[in-house]
Amino acid sequence: MLTSLVREARQAPSPAAPSLDASLGSNGALADALRAARDSNPDGLVHVVFANGGFRRLAANHLCSLARFGLDGRAVVVASAQSGCDELRGLTRARCVVQPLGFSAQEASGWGQPAYRQLTRGKFAVFRYVVEAGYTTLLSDVDVAFRADPTPELRRLLADGVDMVNMVDDRVLDKSDGAACPAKPKDPNSGFFLVRPSEGSLAVMRRAAALLAAGTAGYDGYDQGALTQALSEHASGTARWPGSGASVRHAYFNCSAVANGYNFFVRPAVARGAAVVHANWMSGSDSKERCLRAADLWALGDDGKRCAPPPQAAAATAAAPLLLRASLDKAGMRILDCTRASAAPRGAISFLAANAPARREPPAEVAAAAGAGRAGGRRKQLQWVSKAPTPAPLLPPGEDASDVA
């Protein structure tokens, strides 16, 4: 009798776990944190950051980077486990709430891992939920660091009435590109992503979420591929999904001001004046930390429990040299490592690219360029020296949101 009861219990279906959407809707702590963050910000903007165990140090650095500009108070950290909030407690003024996604998402620590797919789906679901709740939202990945306060440009973009603004993920590859951002970017990146709730923006986000759920999310299978596909379908005018007929004012940030990792670390002629740096085009939290440290963008203290003071260069040595070496893989696609090189001309910014693809020469407007010899084997090094950085607008020069469909 007892054996049959045990067998029946094992065979009986377990109660269905609530869907992520339902779980988000019933998360009172998240609703309270979003309201508090919005009410404390004169612009009504809510900054959402998603943190998991695999990227815990990057999450802490991200918040400390925000704190350097007094922006941490508007941030809401959504952690995939209670341990995430416990580790961030007291570090900054950011609010932290827990929204479980499952063990695998909690431990994801690099692009391409199976768990990373679950993590990106969860992150996008959280972001979509916040926008659907009526919040104008800035989403930033934890491997983003700040060199300046982006608030004035974000405020201007919202005043211009944009619905969605993405950072550019396109790489500027060779001298034919010059030092210019692409006129028509092909790859929107969601690592620094501004969305104002509107019928059109919500329709695009819901379509992207549906693509993720169906496993048909564009070129990479992740949130970025889903978003790219949804935007492309909408722009084609042939989409037939709910809300596809609503207009969407979509724009890109100036890639010189909001820089992806490749353009910042490998193409200084493009991104030397970046205000926001996304340490992508590299895999693994360790390589991201090394590159951010090399560029003086690591804001977490050595003990990991408090924020570090800004580097001395902030005021006294603004013109001091910054010499970085970015090592690339054999295909020239991924950054493997970043280090500080030994010396640079006073008052200049120099970057070294190791193992760079062919035709990677500096554009004409770069002040000086010199080959740095060989680092061994077929690894090439190119040294590009440019003048000290100047802040760049977050949209391309001469362009406002009304210029971008």
Side-chain angles (χ1 to χ4, degrees):
M1 179 68 175
L2 179 60
T3 302
S4 63
L5 289 175
V6 170
R7 185 183 303 112
E8 290 175 6
R10 287 177 176 175
Q11 293 174 348
S14 58
S19 69
L20 180 56
D21 286 347
S23 178
L24 285 165
S26 62
N27 192 332
L30 176 59
D32 292 344
L34 292 170
R35 281 193 296 268
R38 179 192 59 193
D39 295 345
S40 66
N41 181 8
D43 301 309
L45 180 71
V46 174
H47 187 165
V48 175
V49 180
F50 197 88
N52 78 324
F55 292 110
R56 57 174 63 87
R57 285 179 59 80
L58 286 170
N61 181 71
H62 182 78
L63 296 179
C64 288
S65 184
L66 284 171
R68 287 182 172 177
F69 300 97
L71 304 176
D72 50 321
R74 69 181 61 175
V76 175
V77 181
V78 181
S80 59
Q82 182 61 49
S83 58
C85 286
D86 292 343
E87 291 167 354
L88 297 173
R89 184 177 293 115
L91 185 66
T92 68
R93 297 176 299 152
R95 299 165 176 83
C96 188
V97 296
V98 179
Q99 177 59 55
L101 295 180
F103 178 80
S104 60
Q106 162 68 4
E107 297 305 315
S109 60
W111 193 93
Q113 297 176 349
Y116 193 78
R117 189 180 306 276
Q118 183 178 354
L119 176 65
T120 58
R121 287 181 180 177
K123 181 189 76 171
F124 197 84
V126 171
F127 188 36
R128 189 199 72 198
Y129 165 79
V130 175
V131 177
E132 285 182 332
Y135 294 96
T136 297
T137 311
L138 175 67
L139 175 73
S140 62
D141 285 350
V142 295
D143 55 352
V144 168
F146 297 85
R147 303 173 77 216
D149 183 355
T151 302
E153 286 293 333
L154 296 176
R155 186 179 295 133
R156 182 177 69 82
L157 289 169
L158 292 172
D160 284 344
V162 296
D163 295 314
M164 309 178 80
V165 192
N166 286 97
M167 65 173 291
V168 175
D169 208 36
D170 303 60
R171 296 175 302 147
V172 178
L173 291 176
D174 56 43
K175 68 179 182 180
S176 64
D177 296 314
C181 297
K184 295 183 177 181
K186 298 179 180 178
D187 297 325
N189 186 286
S190 58
F192 193 76
F193 186 16
L194 178 66
V195 177
R196 181 178 63 85
S198 69
E199 183 181 359
S201 64
L202 286 171
V204 169
M205 295 188 72
R206 288 166 181 155
R207 172 57 176 167
L211 291 169
L212 280 169
T216 57
Y219 64 91
D220 64 356
Y222 299 136
D223 57 329
Q224 190 161 298
L227 181 64
T228 301
Q229 184 172 335
L231 286 168
S232 177
E233 291 175 355
H234 184 274
S236 72
T238 61
R240 293 294 180 268
W241 27 268
S244 59
S247 63
V248 178
R249 299 191 70 199
H250 177 249
Y252 287 93
F253 290 111
N254 182 352
C255 81
S256 296
V258 180
N260 66 52
Y262 192 96
N263 290 341
F264 180 77
F265 290 102
V266 181
R267 294 292 288 170
V270 177
R272 61 183 177 268
V276 181
V277 177
H278 186 192
N280 65 337
W281 287 102
M282 59 188 82
S283 296
S285 57
D286 290 343
S287 61
K288 293 174 185 286
E289 179 172 338
R290 288 193 298 270
C291 287
L292 291 172
R293 283 184 179 276
D296 281 338
L297 290 172
W298 192 256
L300 180 64
D302 290 338
D303 62 0
K305 298 179 180 179
R306 57 182 60 86
C307 299
Q312 295 179 354
T317 59
L322 175 64
L323 186 63
L324 299 175
R325 178 179 286 109
S327 300
L328 307 179
D329 63 11
K330 291 182 179 180
M333 290 283 290
R334 292 277 169 186
I335 299 172
L336 302 177
D337 199 7
C338 305
T339 57
R340 265 305 169 89
S342 57
R346 187 76 183 166
I349 293 182
S350 304
F351 285 57
L352 299 175
N355 207 29
R359 295 185 64 205
R360 189 178 299 283
E361 293 121 14
E365 56 266 39
V366 176
R374 293 182 177 273
R378 295 186 176 180
R379 296 171 67 87
K380 295 181 179 179
Q381 292 180 341
L382 299 174
Q383 180 169 317
W384 304 337
V385 183
S386 66
K387 295 180 180 179
T390 55
L394 297 192
L395 279 179
E399 179 178 280
D400 60 32
S402 62
D403 297 323
V404 186

